[in-house]
Amino acid sequence: MSTVRRVRRRATGALLLVPPVAAAVVGPFVTEARIPSDGMPYALGDGHPLGTDALGRDVLTLVLRGGASALGVACAAVALAVAVGGVLGLAAAVSRSRWLDDLLMRPVELLLPLPSLLVISVVGVGWRGHPVAVALAVAALNVPAVARLLRAAALDAAGGPVAEAMRLQGESWARVLFGHVGRAVLPVAAADAGTRVGTAVFTVAAANFLGLGLDPTSPDWGVVIAASREALFVQPWAVLAPTLLLVMFTVGANLLADGLLADAKTTGGGGKRPGRRANPTGDDARAAGKSAEEAVGKKAGKKAGKKAGERAGREAGKKGTPRQGTGTEAATWNR
């Protein structure tokens, strides 16, 4: 994909995201928490730019007020899924133990075959009307896929020369995990999160549409669509307005995610630019390789000195020499 197309795609995605995000962020501050039901059901005009819903509430106010729950629950669920799944995937990639890799990944993979609406239905029966419960359910459904993706993306960085040099220098496990490996897979994680946000928005909206999420009188976009779908031809804006905002947010998020994924493929996920000689880690790898050589040299020197000292001691013992060689003296003598 050319640079011009990537820029156009990102610009289009950003423009599509502006209306729904602005409605979700600014809307709660410019509308009242309690929306009055002072109009006629499914009325057009009469001081209501987008008409009213079945309860006589202003649709424009509902749209401005319901974006926070429609988008906030989905974004919080994706953020939690990326955080938990990312840590699991990166830890499995960095670990050099097969049993630890299985211990981290196999229990999570048990959630992969579970249908999303089935899980949300179970959660909705037990915790009906709680957006936190819906967010946790959506996050749990996305954790396995995120963990598997980031583990696969982090394997090269975890086994590369930079990570090896950091281990030889005595860097902590957390520093290797988050300081190098996590930074290397950040473009992949951002692109994947962009695609998952759109899916999560529709999952949350579907749960609310089916009555498994928020209260039926909630101004959430999914709830408004479900409540007004019967009057689509009588008062279309009660359905079209929240639907258009959901579609704009999803398409815009996907376009931005595609742009980030294209950038990640172009740079190789680790800072490599097109047109440069193939070098997966660039200047950092050369510096890390030099440090690794120094660390390996010191370690090899100590081992060689110790072995030479033991050998000199055994030879001196055979000859009856009262003084036995030491590792330091043998290493000095060898140099």
Side-chain angles (χ1 to χ4, degrees):
M1 184 185 296
S2 64
T3 304
V4 176
R5 289 187 62 187
R6 290 201 303 271
V7 172
R8 288 179 179 176
R9 179 166 292 190
R10 286 197 294 266
T12 304
L15 289 176
L16 289 175
L17 284 175
V18 169
V21 172
V25 174
V26 181
F29 296 99
V30 297
T31 57
E32 298 179 0
R34 183 180 178 278
I35 303 175
S37 304
D38 55 356
M40 296 292 294
Y42 300 125
L44 289 171
D46 194 20
H48 304 286
L50 298 180
T52 59
D53 67 345
L55 300 178
R57 298 176 298 179
D58 183 59
V59 173
L60 179 60
T61 305
L62 291 173
V63 168
L64 294 175
R65 193 74 191 177
S69 61
L71 303 185
V73 172
C75 292
V78 172
L80 182 60
V82 171
V84 177
V87 171
L88 292 175
L90 294 180
V94 172
S95 66
R96 297 185 173 185
S97 175
R98 178 72 179 182
W99 69 268
L100 183 57
D101 188 3
D102 293 338
L103 180 64
L104 291 173
M105 298 302 298
R106 296 301 173 263
V108 176
E109 291 174 353
L110 294 176
L111 298 174
L112 279 174
L114 296 179
S116 59
L117 289 180
L118 176 61
V119 175
I120 294 178
S121 300
V122 174
V123 173
V125 171
W127 295 277
R128 184 181 179 85
H130 292 277
V132 176
V134 177
L136 291 176
V138 175
L141 292 169
N142 284 276
V143 165
V146 173
R148 287 168 60 91
L149 175 67
L150 294 187
R151 176 187 175 276
L155 286 176
D156 290 338
V162 176
E164 294 293 336
M166 294 177 71
R167 293 189 187 99
L168 290 173
Q169 290 176 343
E171 297 289 349
S172 64
W173 179 81
R175 185 172 179 81
V176 177
L177 180 67
F178 298 107
H180 169 62
V181 180
R183 186 172 57 182
V185 301
L186 189 59
V188 178
D192 180 66
T195 58
R196 293 190 185 280
V197 164
T199 305
V201 166
F202 271 106
T203 303
V204 174
N208 293 330
F209 180 85
L210 297 175
L212 302 174
L214 301 179
D215 187 83
T217 60
S218 170
D220 183 88
W221 293 344
V223 176
V224 172
I225 294 172
S228 304
R229 69 186 186 277
E230 298 177 354
L232 176 61
F233 297 102
V234 177
Q235 214 292 66
W237 285 113
V239 177
L240 293 180
T243 302
L244 287 175
L245 290 175
L246 286 173
V247 172
M248 291 174 66
F249 181 84
T250 304
V251 175
N254 285 328
L255 289 177
L256 282 181
D258 289 343
L260 291 174
L261 185 58
D263 291 341
K265 290 180 179 179
T266 302
T267 59
K272 183 178 68 175
R273 297 180 181 177
R276 296 184 62 180
R277 180 173 54 89
N279 185 4
T281 51
D283 298 335
D284 292 338
R286 288 192 291 271
K290 185 176 180 181
S291 301
E293 290 177 0
E294 294 177 355
V296 172
K298 292 179 181 179
K299 190 174 182 180
K302 292 180 180 179
K303 290 183 178 179
K306 184 177 180 179
K307 291 181 179 179
E310 293 176 353
R311 186 170 60 252
R314 286 195 299 268
E315 292 177 358
K318 291 179 181 180
K319 295 179 180 180
T321 306
R323 182 181 177 183
Q324 295 183 353
T326 62
T328 305
E329 292 176 351
T332 306
W333 181 78
N334 288 335
R335 287 197 291 267

